[in-house]
């Protein structure tokens, strides 16, 4: 009877240890794959970060599309609009027809 209990405990300990090792390996692998993706798409990540920087300014809640386009070059208008949406921004048109963007999280300000 003791041998059966000992075998069961050993099996459970082996399964538990194997699960922990698998989890650690997968977590490390995920971090490496994420870093590779970031490096591959670094331009897009940096563009989003730059857009967020402009839209998180203390006093300038909204920014014109022209201002953003001036500071974030190298993208077509449609690509830049996609970057703005990925950054969490929404578009508004003013009475004069100009295009303005702001972060969705700052709508209440």
């Amino acid at each position: 009877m003791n041998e059966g209990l000992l075998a069961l405990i050993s099996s459970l300990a082996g399964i538990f240890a194997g699960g922990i090792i698998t989890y650690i390996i997968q977590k490390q692998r995920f971090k490496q794959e994420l870093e590779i993706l970031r490096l591959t798409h670094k331009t897009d990540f940096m563009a989003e970060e730059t857009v967020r920087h402009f839209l998180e300014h203390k006093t300038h809640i909204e920014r014109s599309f022209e201002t953003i386009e001036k500071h974030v070059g190298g993208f077509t208008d449609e690509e830049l609009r996609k970057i703005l949406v990925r950054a969490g921004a929404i578009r508004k048109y003013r009475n004069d027809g100009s295009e303005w963007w702001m972060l969705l999280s700052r709508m209440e300000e």
Side-chain angles (χ1 to χ4, degrees), residues 30-62:
F30 176 74
K31 282 176 80 175
Q32 289 172 343
E33 289 176 4
L34 185 60
E35 186 62 27
I36 289 168
L37 278 174
R38 278 199 176 124
L39 291 174
T40 303
H41 301 285
K42 187 174 182 175
T43 304
D44 293 334
F45 282 113
M46 292 307 296
E48 282 182 45
E49 190 175 317
T50 303
V51 163
R52 258 189 237 103
H53 170 77
F54 278 100
L55 297 176
E56 288 175 344
H57 192 273
K58 289 180 190 177
T59 56
H60 299 291
I61 295 172
E62 297 179 335

Side-chain angles (χ1 to χ4, degrees), residues 1-15:
M1 182 100 166
N2 286 339
E3 292 173 7
L5 183 60
L6 184 60
L8 178 64
I9 291 173
S10 296
S11 297
L12 290 176
I15 291 170

Side-chain angles (χ1 to χ4, degrees), residues 5-104:
L5 183 60
L6 184 60
L8 178 64
I9 291 173
S10 296
S11 297
L12 290 176
I15 291 170
F16 182 72
I20 289 175
I21 291 170
T22 301
Y23 171 78
I24 291 169
I25 290 170
Q26 289 297 328
K27 186 177 177 182
Q28 186 174 5
R29 187 176 187 191
F30 176 74
K31 282 176 80 175
Q32 289 172 343
E33 289 176 4
L34 185 60
E35 186 62 27
I36 289 168
L37 278 174
R38 278 199 176 124
L39 291 174
T40 303
H41 301 285
K42 187 174 182 175
T43 304
D44 293 334
F45 282 113
M46 292 307 296
E48 282 182 45
E49 190 175 317
T50 303
V51 163
R52 258 189 237 103
H53 170 77
F54 278 100
L55 297 176
E56 288 175 344
H57 192 273
K58 289 180 190 177
T59 56
H60 299 291
I61 295 172
E62 297 179 335
R63 295 285 185 154
S64 70
F65 185 76
E66 289 79 24
T67 299
I68 296 168
E69 186 177 36
K70 179 181 171 185
H71 293 283
V72 184
F75 299 96
T76 66
D77 288 355
E78 288 309 308
E79 288 172 335
L80 186 53
R81 286 182 179 98
K82 288 178 183 179
I83 289 168
L84 282 156
V85 170
R86 280 197 307 264
I90 58 169
R91 176 176 55 189
K92 291 170 64 175
Y93 288 102
R94 294 210 173 154
N95 291 337
D96 63 0
S98 61
E99 181 178 343
W100 290 74
W101 289 81
M102 68 183 296
L103 290 176
L104 186 60

